[in-house]
Amino acid sequence: QVQLVESGGGLVQPGGSLRLSCAASGSIFSINAMGWYRQAPGKERELVGSITRGGSTTYADSVKGRFTISRDNAKNTVYLQMNSLKPEDTAVYYCNADLILRWGGDSVNYWGQGTQVTVSS
């Protein structure tokens, strides 16, 4: 079965760093864009950052300069390096990817189950 599995979440102090990973597995022909979203309690899910197959990135203004998204196409994995973390970064972080499951197929959007990031002293 095709799935996205996140790892790397946890508890960190303000100013600290975390690195999230998301690996796509299963029968996948190719992966187009990948990204990270987050959702804090009582808030809507928001885009944190995205990266195209070729490596072009976008970021939410709130994380620009602090977070870096990257990917390893050989490993079907996307990463989110989070530095200078703030309490307001606390949220469940979700991996997202547009997957091509067969040759000639259209992209299908998939979500990971989410990983908790808590920034607190």
Side-chain angles (χ1 to χ4, degrees):
Q1 288 293 111
V2 174
Q3 61 180 3
L4 304 177
V5 180
E6 301 106 330
S7 62
L11 175 65
V12 65
Q13 294 183 347
S17 298
L18 282 175
R19 188 192 190 209
L20 305 183
S21 299
C22 172
S25 63
S27 183
I28 301 170
F29 180 76
S30 66
I31 304 176
N32 289 334
M34 304 185 78
W36 289 95
Y37 291 72
R38 67 185 182 186
Q39 187 166 24
K43 296 185 178 180
E44 294 184 348
R45 189 171 300 185
E46 65 174 348
L47 176 67
V48 176
S50 65
I51 184 167
T52 68
R53 183 172 51 192
S56 297
T57 59
T58 60
Y59 299 95
D61 289 340
S62 59
V63 307
K64 187 80 172 180
R66 299 188 297 119
F67 291 9
T68 302
I69 191 169
S70 61
R71 65 190 288 169
D72 185 336
N73 290 333
K75 296 181 179 180
N76 287 344
T77 300
V78 62
Y79 306 94
L80 184 67
Q81 179 66 48
M82 304 185 293
N83 299 325
S84 301
L85 283 161
K86 305 174 181 179
E88 49 263 47
D89 294 319
T90 296
V92 177
Y93 283 70
Y94 296 91
C95 179
N96 180 267
D98 289 327
L99 308 180
I100 307 296
L101 303 184
R102 55 182 171 82
W103 185 90
D106 295 325
S107 66
V108 180
N109 192 251
Y110 280 76
W111 290 94
Q113 65 180 8
T115 184
Q116 177 70 47
V117 172
T118 301
V119 185
S120 176
S121 60

